[in-house]
């Protein structure tokens, strides 16, 4: 965890916005993590970016709250967010001495949020898993948008290039002027020359 | 001998557009080999083979390898040599951009893309890399634009050591879009012809991940 302090700040805010039921702020918070994730490419930073974005999406869907398993998921979320924050606070307070076990604990608590979905019976667990999966692709796309290559982003997010392809295709990323590095005719000429 | 070196992206774009058979037709009129590196094979065959959603496409690509439409890079350059050159290129490319504030390096490209560049350097023959994603192209063809774009997106100044890229200036790139253009021009696509077909082909791969702008597509349509 290269940026424990920053992740602590993000998780505190996440807990606050979840309690306030503020999906909009959660998504904004997720965008903040992407800038630093592009540079640091720190796995924990990326996990948090996906988590926060997913929670924003989940909270937007009001009907999830009426489904079986919602209370179980929500309680696990609040509990584990709180425990992850406490672990990272210990890192901040004690410094290097107890950093590693507390960082490890923070990762375990964040992992438990997703794992709690496996215990939910009915459709809600699968719906939220889908949200997490799509959030991973979304964040991979965001890293690509920020300038990393497709394969680099797919590796960082653990998503397939195949899933990313359609996502990229539906965006306007190919239309940015910066991406036009050669006139169309010149590139066609390269293709025609190699084919003889 | 000539080589067309495929990154994963174009195979994915063409497979998802139902255009894989065009690769086979293009191979028929190409006086050389279509190359896949082990990194690319992992992305277009080994990994999607385990994902039910993409397994059919992975099997089709596997079949094309077995029938010799695609040749593995090891038939020309040993995997050891390719790996060593790939690592060297990754060190160069991923050392170009640093944040001004912290001096932290930004790792921009991955082994898959770097292996295509490495094969291009090592194969000792005329070659072109087929790559749909923009970052690798920008890094070698317009690195200053990549630096500016990333600075804008990251809201932070970057230091670029562009001189590191001097030895990467000679790569030649095309995309799945140019492959379809050539196939169309050579009459390899057996559908009702005309500009509508070319329009459909080019936008088809654009919406499946090929980094091509609408302006480039319109410019290409004028070249027929």
């Amino acid at each position: 965890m290269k940026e424990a302090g920053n992740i602590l700040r993000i998780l505190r805010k996440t807990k606050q916005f979840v309690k306030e039921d503020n999906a909009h702020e959660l998504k904004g918070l997720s965008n903040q993590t992407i800038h630093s994730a592009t540079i640091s490419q720190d796995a924990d930073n990326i996990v948090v970016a996906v988590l926060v974005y997913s929670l924003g999406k989940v909270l937007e869907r009001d009907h999830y709250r009426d489904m079986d398993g919602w209370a179980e998921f929500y309680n696990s979320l609040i509990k584990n967010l709180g425990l992850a924050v406490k672990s990272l606070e210990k890192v901040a307070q004690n410094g290097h001495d107890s950093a590693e076990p507390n960082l490890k604990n923070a990762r375990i608590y964040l992992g438990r949020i997703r794992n709690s979905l496996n215990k939910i019976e009915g459709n809600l667990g699968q719906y939220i898993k889908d949200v997490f999966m799509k959030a991973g692709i979304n964040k991979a796309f965001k890293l690509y948008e920020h300038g990393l290559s497709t394969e680099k982003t797919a590796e960082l997010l653990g998503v397939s290039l195949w899933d990313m392809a359609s996502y990229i295709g539906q965006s306007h990323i190919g239309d940015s002027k910066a991406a036009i590095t050669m006139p169309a005719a010149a590139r066609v000429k390269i293709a025609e020359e190699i084919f003889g | 001998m000539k080589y067309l070196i495929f990154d994963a992206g174009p195979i994915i774009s063409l497979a998802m557009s139902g255009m894989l058979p065009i690769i086979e037709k293009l191979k028929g009129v190409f006086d050389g080999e279509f190359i896949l590196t082990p990194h690319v094979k992992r992305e277009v065959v080994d990994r999607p083979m385990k994902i039910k959603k993409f397994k059919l496409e992975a099997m089709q690509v596997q079949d094309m390898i077995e029938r010799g439409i695609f040749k593995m890079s090891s038939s020309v350059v040993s995997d050891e040599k390719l790996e060593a050159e790939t690592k060297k290129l990754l060190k160069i490319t991923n050392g170009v951009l640093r944040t001004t504030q912290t001096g932290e390096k930004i790792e921009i490209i991955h082994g898959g893309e770097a292996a295509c560049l490495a094969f291009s350097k090592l194969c000792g023959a005329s070659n072109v890399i087929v790559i749909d994603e923009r970052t690798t192209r920008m890094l070698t063809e317009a690195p200053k634009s990549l630096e500016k774009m990333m600075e804008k997106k990251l809201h932070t100044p970057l230091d670029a050591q562009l001189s590191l890229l001097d030895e990467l200036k000679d790569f030649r790139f095309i995309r799945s879009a140019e492959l379809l253009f050539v196939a169309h021009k050579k009459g390899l696509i057996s559908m009702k012809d005309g500009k509508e077909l070319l329009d459909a082909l080019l936008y088809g791969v654009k919406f499946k991940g090929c980094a091509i702008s609408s302006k480039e597509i319109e410019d290409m349509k004028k070249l027929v």
Side-chain angles (χ1 to χ4, degrees):
Chain A
M1 202 174 276
K2 290 184 191 172
E3 299 178 326
N6 186 42
I7 292 176
L8 172 59
R9 181 184 67 82
I10 298 280
L11 290 180
R12 276 179 178 151
K13 288 269 183 195
T14 302
K15 194 177 167 195
Q16 177 196 331
F17 294 143
V18 169
K19 283 185 168 175
E20 291 170 2
D21 198 5
N22 193 336
H24 179 72
E25 288 292 343
L26 275 171
K27 285 163 87 177
L29 195 57
S30 163
N31 287 338
Q32 285 176 30
T33 61
I34 280 299
H35 301 320
S36 49
T38 307
I39 296 166
S40 72
Q41 297 178 15
D42 173 36
D44 296 304
N45 212 322
I46 289 166
V47 164
V48 170
V50 172
L51 172 71
V52 177
Y53 184 79
S54 303
L55 294 176
K57 283 280 177 193
V58 168
L59 289 189
E60 268 178 354
R61 297 171 189 186
D62 289 341
H63 62 286
Y64 282 5
R65 292 151 214 235
D66 301 327
M67 295 177 76
D68 288 343
W70 173 259
E72 210 177 329
F73 169 71
Y74 188 84
N75 292 338
S76 164
L77 172 64
I78 294 295
K79 179 183 160 191
N80 286 300
L81 272 177
L83 289 169
V85 165
K86 274 185 187 165
S87 296
L88 293 177
E89 281 171 346
K90 283 180 192 164
V91 174
Q93 285 158 10
N94 305 336
H96 188 71
D97 291 345
S98 64
E100 204 42 55
N102 284 310
L103 291 175
K104 195 176 165 190
N105 284 341
R107 289 186 191 111
I108 291 170
Y109 297 132
L110 293 178
R112 280 184 187 167
I113 295 171
R114 283 183 82 157
N115 290 342
S116 70
L117 297 170
N118 294 325
K119 295 173 191 160
I120 298 175
E121 287 181 13
N123 292 331
L124 182 66
Q126 192 54 49
Y127 289 171
I128 300 178
K129 277 184 195 172
D130 284 347
V131 170
F132 272 92
M133 194 269 287
K134 285 177 183 157
I137 299 168
N138 174 283
K139 291 297 134 190
F141 167 73
K142 288 282 176 194
L143 291 181
Y144 178 57
E145 197 180 34
H146 276 62
L148 304 189
S149 77
T150 47
E151 285 164 45
K152 187 79 209 168
T153 57
E155 180 198 34
L156 289 169
L157 270 297
V159 301
S160 127
L161 284 174
W162 295 75
D163 276 317
M164 271 184 76
S166 296
Y167 209 100
I168 291 170
Q170 284 160 32
S171 74
H172 294 290
I173 211 161
D175 283 310
S176 83
K177 277 187 185 167
I180 304 174
T181 51
M182 185 183 280
R187 208 175 293 284
V188 164
K189 195 175 167 205
I190 295 173
E192 290 187 322
E193 275 175 4
I194 194 83
F195 274 90
Chain B
M1 181 54 78
K2 295 186 289 191
Y3 298 113
L4 211 55
I5 307 155
F6 280 78
D7 184 38
I11 297 174
I12 293 171
S13 312
L14 291 168
M16 292 175 84
S17 317
M19 286 289 132
L20 274 184
I22 301 305
I23 295 184
E24 188 165 352
K25 289 189 177 176
L26 282 167
K27 179 67 174 54
V29 298
F30 185 67
D31 180 22
E33 301 290 358
F34 289 178
I35 297 293
L36 293 188
T37 66
H39 288 87
V40 169
K41 181 176 171 281
R42 264 200 296 281
E43 295 298 339
V44 297
V45 176
D46 304 340
R47 285 193 72 195
M49 203 67 94
K50 294 172 195 155
I51 306 170
K52 295 222 184 295
K53 190 175 168 188
F54 304 118
K55 190 173 178 179
L56 180 60
E57 287 84 355
M59 288 177 74
Q60 288 169 333
V61 180
Q62 175 70 46
D63 177 61
M64 290 171 78
I65 296 171
E66 284 166 8
R67 288 188 295 115
I69 311 291
F70 289 119
K71 280 265 162 62
M72 291 308 297
S73 57
S74 54
S75 63
V76 183
V77 174
S78 74
D79 287 344
E80 293 74 25
K81 270 190 181 172
L82 187 72
E83 197 56 37
E85 186 66 23
T86 300
K87 279 183 184 162
K88 191 180 143 197
L89 287 170
L90 278 174
K91 199 172 172 191
I92 294 171
T93 52
N94 291 334
V96 172
L97 293 178
R98 290 168 187 264
T99 59
T100 305
Q101 285 169 347
T102 63
E104 211 173 342
K105 285 182 196 170
I106 305 178
E107 290 187 20
I108 305 164
I109 69 167
H110 180 260
E113 292 118 357
C116 291
L117 302 181
F119 184 88
S120 173
K121 281 192 83 179
L122 295 173
C123 68
S126 174
N127 69 82
V128 168
I129 299 169
V130 192
I131 191 162
D132 274 1
E133 71 103 36
R134 66 175 184 177
T135 304
T136 311
R137 267 190 295 121
M138 288 181 78
L139 189 64
T140 56
E141 292 180 342
K144 197 73 196 161
S145 299
L146 181 64
E147 180 196 355
K148 283 205 163 84
M149 185 193 81
M150 290 188 76
E151 279 184 331
K152 195 175 158 196
K153 288 280 177 192
L154 294 168
H155 308 290
T156 189
L158 300 176
D159 289 331
Q161 248 192 298
L162 300 182
S163 59
L164 288 174
L165 298 172
D166 284 349
E167 64 174 291
L168 308 184
K169 281 179 179 162
D170 296 330
F171 293 114
R172 294 185 299 161
F173 299 104
I174 60 172
R175 298 165 288 199
S176 54
E178 281 81 22
L179 282 184
L180 290 176
F181 180 92
V182 170
H184 176 262
K185 202 168 172 187
K186 286 183 178 289
L188 300 176
I189 302 173
S190 52
M191 274 191 262
K192 183 173 167 274
D193 209 345
K195 288 205 169 176
E196 284 307 311
L197 175 58
L198 186 59
D199 182 81
L201 290 168
L202 299 180
Y203 275 102
V205 285
K206 174 178 169 63
F207 288 113
K208 297 297 179 198
C210 177
I212 183 168
S213 67
S214 301
K215 183 187 179 304
E216 286 174 290
I217 290 178
E218 296 309 317
D219 288 348
M220 283 169 79
K221 282 160 59 183
K222 289 175 195 158
L223 298 173
V224 180

